[in-house]
Amino acid sequence: MYLAIREMRFAKGRYALIATIMVLVSFLVLFVTGLAQGLAYDNAASIKNMAASHFVLEQDSNHRFTRSQVGQDQLEQTRSVVGQENAEPLGVKMTTVSPAGDTKKMDVTLFMVNPESWLAPTVTEGSPITDQKNGQVVVDQKLSESGVTIGTVLVDQASGTEWTVGGFVENESFSHSPVVFMNEQEWLAIQGGSRTSQGTADANAQVYNAIAIKDAGEKVDSLSTTLPNTEVITKSDAVSAIPGYKEEQGSLLMMIAFLFVISAFVLAVFFYVITIQKTSQFGILKAIGTRNAYLAGSVSIQVLLLSVGSLVISVLLVQLFESILPASMPFQLGLSTLALTCVLFVMMSMAGSLFSVWKVAKIDALDAIGRTAA
């Protein structure tokens, strides 16, 4: 420890340069990691926020909601297995809407949920959807950036159906598009179903995209045999099947992995060059009895101090940038992800220092002193 700190204090410029590079690399690693997590959440926030643990989809739908169709009979069979309160219908449809009297178009995803079920979102402003208020929907807060307010009438470009915005919710998106929540009455209207004189849905016309399940435990295993022509998937499977999710995350994760490798390589090269420059000094220290373990530990401590110090500065920079990033740029860096990224960065840095440690161990004292004398 003494030798490591003494040397860093003596060669301030050299180690300041290395520290600056490590700060830039570690900041880039943390920033790209935050963007990857933010994009992942923005792509599937509504599914991730659900209390559901599994979903029942139509067989051969490739785990995608928009390719699946299940009916009322399958819903009742599911409820008979997992319990009446543990299964809820879910409708998912991607479409384009425009405010009435305006030519502005907005891509949204329609979610059909029962207003009194555990799938219903928490309204942050306005009124929630109910079975008694036909024509009313609640929308994600992102639509307010496009001028949508409570009372705005949205027109579906595909069916021509009109809905009145009754409230707003937060962090509800699907495939990077804001979600519009509606009740079963409105869902049947755009699906071609009909309403009875009492305002209830025609059971024969009820078609959903999925059945959400929670608190089913081991009962989930028996659903596949109970429900023919269906498949039961986990929430993570449903998230991964969202169009573009795996491709997007795969590209970002590859970038992060390369950044880790590059940071370790850059650090290894810098310290290896410094070690070569100090060959004669290490040789003299070995000649007077300094052990290899002590010298190797000195190099490792320097790498550890630089990597930890650069991470502290990088975390502060990331928090600063996060506070000034626009709301349209999804960024999310949770404590667990931050801790894992920092640990991996330190480990890769220490791995990069092994070349210098190997070089120190190979230095011959007599040979080094001879070169110095020459």
Side-chain angles (χ1 to χ4, degrees):
M1 176 70 79
Y2 173 79
L3 179 62
I5 297 178
R6 183 70 178 269
E7 186 179 6
M8 293 176 68
R9 291 176 60 185
F10 178 77
K12 297 183 181 68
R14 177 188 297 172
Y15 287 96
L17 177 62
I18 299 175
T20 301
I21 294 175
M22 291 186 67
V23 167
L24 294 175
V25 174
S26 58
F27 170 77
L28 189 58
V29 169
L30 292 174
F31 191 76
V32 174
T33 301
L35 286 178
Q37 293 295 314
L39 287 170
Y41 183 74
D42 185 70
N43 204 351
S46 292
I47 303 300
K48 291 184 176 182
N49 292 340
M50 288 182 180
S53 60
H54 294 78
F55 296 92
V56 177
L57 301 180
E58 185 181 8
Q59 196 172 30
D60 298 327
S61 60
N62 293 330
H63 297 180
R64 293 192 178 185
F65 294 125
T66 52
R67 294 180 180 179
S68 169
Q69 284 191 340
V70 294
Q72 182 68 22
D73 292 340
Q74 292 163 314
L75 174 61
E76 295 301 329
Q77 291 175 355
T78 303
R79 285 175 170 173
S80 67
V81 175
V82 301
Q84 189 72 18
E85 300 298 326
N86 292 334
E88 289 293 336
L90 174 66
V92 180
K93 181 180 181 180
M94 305 184 74
T95 187
T96 301
V97 298
S98 297
D102 197 341
T103 58
K104 182 186 299 182
K105 296 183 179 181
M106 299 169 289
D107 294 326
V108 300
T109 302
L110 306 179
F111 268 38
M112 185 285 297
V113 297
N114 288 328
E116 303 301 326
S117 72
W118 43 267
L119 284 181
T122 301
V123 176
T124 57
E125 181 182 355
S127 304
I129 56 175
T130 65
D131 287 328
Q132 287 73 36
K133 293 183 178 179
N134 293 325
Q136 181 172 304
V137 296
V138 296
V139 302
D140 183 70
Q141 192 71 39
K142 290 180 183 177
L143 287 180
S144 63
E145 301 172 5
S146 301
V148 175
T149 61
I150 294 178
T152 298
V153 177
L154 300 178
V155 182
D156 180 26
Q157 296 292 298
S159 64
T161 308
E162 296 184 356
W163 304 295
T164 302
V165 176
F168 286 101
V169 293
E170 289 184 347
N171 300 323
E172 295 290 349
S173 56
F174 182 87
S175 193
H176 294 303
S177 64
V179 170
V180 175
F181 288 91
M182 61 180 57
N183 60 24
E184 196 168 324
Q185 306 296 317
E186 299 305 320
W187 178 257
L188 282 176
I190 62 174
Q191 296 297 320
S194 60
R195 298 190 184 95
T196 65
S197 58
Q198 290 79 21
T200 58
D202 180 2
N204 295 325
Q206 292 172 321
V207 177
Y208 316 111
N209 293 99
I211 301 171
I213 303 170
K214 73 166 187 174
D215 300 332
E218 297 179 355
K219 296 178 181 178
V220 172
D221 299 332
S222 62
L223 280 177
S224 299
T225 57
T226 305
L227 300 174
N229 301 321
T230 63
E231 57 184 7
V232 182
I233 65 173
T234 63
K235 181 188 288 189
S236 60
D237 290 334
V239 169
S240 298
I242 294 176
Y245 183 90
K246 289 193 296 185
E247 293 79 5
E248 179 182 86
Q249 290 301 300
S251 300
L252 290 170
L253 288 176
M254 183 174 293
M255 290 174 58
I256 296 171
F258 273 111
L259 285 174
F260 275 116
V261 174
I262 291 171
S263 63
F265 181 78
V266 170
L267 186 64
V269 170
F270 266 93
F271 269 90
Y272 188 76
V273 171
I274 291 175
T275 302
I276 293 176
Q277 293 174 345
K278 297 186 299 183
T279 299
S280 59
Q281 300 173 25
F282 283 127
I284 293 172
L285 289 171
K286 282 189 174 185
I288 62 176
T290 306
R291 294 175 301 173
N292 281 330
Y294 182 83
L295 296 177
S298 175
V299 175
S300 298
I301 289 173
Q302 289 177 349
V303 175
L304 181 62
L305 291 176
L306 286 173
S307 59
V308 172
S310 64
L311 281 172
V312 171
I313 298 174
S314 298
V315 169
L316 296 176
L317 288 175
V318 167
Q319 291 179 344
L320 174 63
F321 271 76
E322 185 178 2
S323 64
I324 61 177
L325 285 176
S328 58
M329 181 178 292
F331 186 90
Q332 191 177 68
L333 192 61
L335 184 60
S336 59
T337 304
L338 176 63
L340 178 61
T341 305
C342 291
V343 170
L344 288 175
F345 186 83
V346 172
M347 292 176 60
M348 292 296 293
S349 299
M350 297 304 294
S353 69
L354 294 178
F355 291 101
S356 299
V357 171
W358 173 80
K359 180 62 178 178
V360 169
K362 288 292 184 179
I363 292 175
D364 181 80
L366 295 178
D367 186 38
I369 293 173
R371 284 200 303 272
T372 305

